[in-house]
Amino acid sequence: MNSNKNLHFEISERKLLLRFFDLFFVFVCLVLVSKIAHFSYFQITESNYYWTFALTFYITFFGTVFEMYDLQTASNQIETVRSIFLTTGFIVVFYLLTPYYTPPLPSNRIQILFFTLSILFALSFWRLVYIKFLASHRFSKKVILICDKEQLDELISSMEEVDPHYYISAYVNTDLNASLKTIHKIPRISSDALMDFIRAEKISEVVVASQNKEAITIELYNQLIHLLENGVPIREFTQVYEEMTYRIPVHYVERDFYRYFPFSRSNQNKLYKTTARIIDIVISIIGLLVGILLLPIVLIGNLMSNKGPLFYKQERVGLNGQVFEIYKFRSMVTDAEANGAVFAVKNDTRVTPFGRFLRKTRIDEFPQFINILKGEMAVIGPRPERPFFVQEISEIMPFYETRHVIKPGLTGWAQVNYSYGESIDESLIKLQYDLFYIKHRSLLLDINIIIKTISTVLFYRGH
């Protein structure tokens, strides 16, 4: 039965595929050019094999920074071209200027041109193949949902917006009180027709999304067991949602949250906590030194545009709900909250022209390295929110207080994946990202966030 299904790669497999063939085609192209055109700059011997590790690192690092492994970017031809040129440029510059770990500069400068064009051609050729022959054909996945009819629209939008190749082919309605008649664009099938439909439509998996346990009748349960015995994957919606979106679906998690959030894994890992704290201190010292170098620019810009105090302090909620004062370069007019606290929004009129530059470049947040050195914040974690908003949001979202089980951060998973929390609904989305980080946080995820933060600054996407 499984032999009839379409070939499908999961999101993680697609990203791995992109990374592997980026490296593969670059190295193949360099070797071919070296043999055909007497290109000697990148010749690998027993004494300089480490050059390959340096090039591998630069391709992977700059490819990540310039979003070549973002699936939405990788499927868009214009965005892909931009990413390839930026990635190639930075790879070449850093490779040429890294002594010992890379070859010395060639006396014949045409070698540098060969090197650049080889990388550019290899990446462009592979990504063109990916867009034309793989992304549009090989990644489609057909799914049957088992859910209440009222859930259907929300489930479809939340899953297909992340992966355009994820198709909801049909659903089984678990609302026992609903009428048999349906006018939804997605066909509704009965539980006893599941097997025939799966065979006919080459369905990849069945996703159970019903929150009503009583809705899974004995008949439907037996059908699911039968499908499982025949090799049909059956998965629970919260698991699928988390893997696809890198968010925790808090609106589908009941009060027994401890089943979903293994907080103790990272919170009790002393090695991780010690290592993270050391990294926080090192990054904070470097950040403050950079901030001192930028201070004259900030002073001049503040005098010319901001017209007021250089710094400002504001109460925020930190670890275990403790309130502390956060430090920032002022980016708003001095009487920004004369009428009371409000959410910051995109194109906020209270932000000064120079303040907008400070926010976009994240320079306004450099003073927060002081908070990190004091131990009130970490480099990575949920953004600290003001007590007024914490109280307001917590009354609507019971899970919101869960953000305070770890230190707030200068940057975080929510910040690099989502922009503003201009409303309660958008705060819910950011909360889902924060909870995903709390659940899965590790040094590897922290490194990923730091690289994504670099992308945010380079592409001028600051708040």
Side-chain angles (χ1 to χ4, degrees), residues 440-451:
H440 296 282
R441 69 180 182 140
S442 62
L443 286 176
L444 188 61
L445 182 56
D446 289 346
I447 292 171
N448 190 6
I449 292 171
I450 290 173
I451 294 175

Side-chain angles (χ1 to χ4, degrees), residues 143-144 146 198 203-208 224 227 232-235:
V143 177
I144 291 179
I146 295 179
I198 288 171
I203 299 298
S204 299
E205 69 181 19
V206 176
V207 176
V208 181
L224 292 176
L227 294 175
V232 179
I234 299 175
R235 305 174 71 194

Side-chain angles (χ1 to χ4, degrees), residues 259-278:
R259 292 170 51 195
Y260 300 90
F261 306 128
F263 294 132
S264 60
R265 183 178 65 183
S266 56
N267 285 345
Q268 303 303 323
N269 188 328
K270 292 184 179 180
L271 178 61
Y272 169 77
K273 292 174 69 175
T274 302
T275 304
R277 181 57 184 157
I278 292 172

Side-chain angles (χ1 to χ4, degrees), residues 340-372:
V342 294
F343 278 109
V345 297
K346 190 174 183 179
N347 300 321
D348 198 322
T349 56
R350 299 172 299 165
V351 179
T352 65
F354 184 68
R356 189 167 293 109
F357 165 76
L358 292 178
R359 288 187 167 207
K360 288 289 185 182
T361 57
R362 299 291 184 99
I363 293 175
D364 67 318
E365 297 180 350
F366 270 81
Q368 289 171 47
F369 287 117
I370 298 173
N371 294 110
I372 296 173

Side-chain angles (χ1 to χ4, degrees), residues 19 70 118 123 163 201 274 277 348 363 395 456 458:
R19 291 177 187 274
D70 178 272
S118 296
L123 293 177
D163 187 351
E201 298 297 325
T274 302
R277 181 57 184 157
D348 198 322
I363 293 175
E395 292 175 357
T456 300
L458 289 177

Side-chain angles (χ1 to χ4, degrees), residues 17-18 21-22 25 122-130 134:
L17 190 75
L18 288 170
F21 282 105
D22 276 353
F25 281 107
L123 293 177
S124 301
F125 172 76
W126 155 234
R127 291 313 181 102
L128 180 63
V129 171
Y130 176 87
L134 293 177

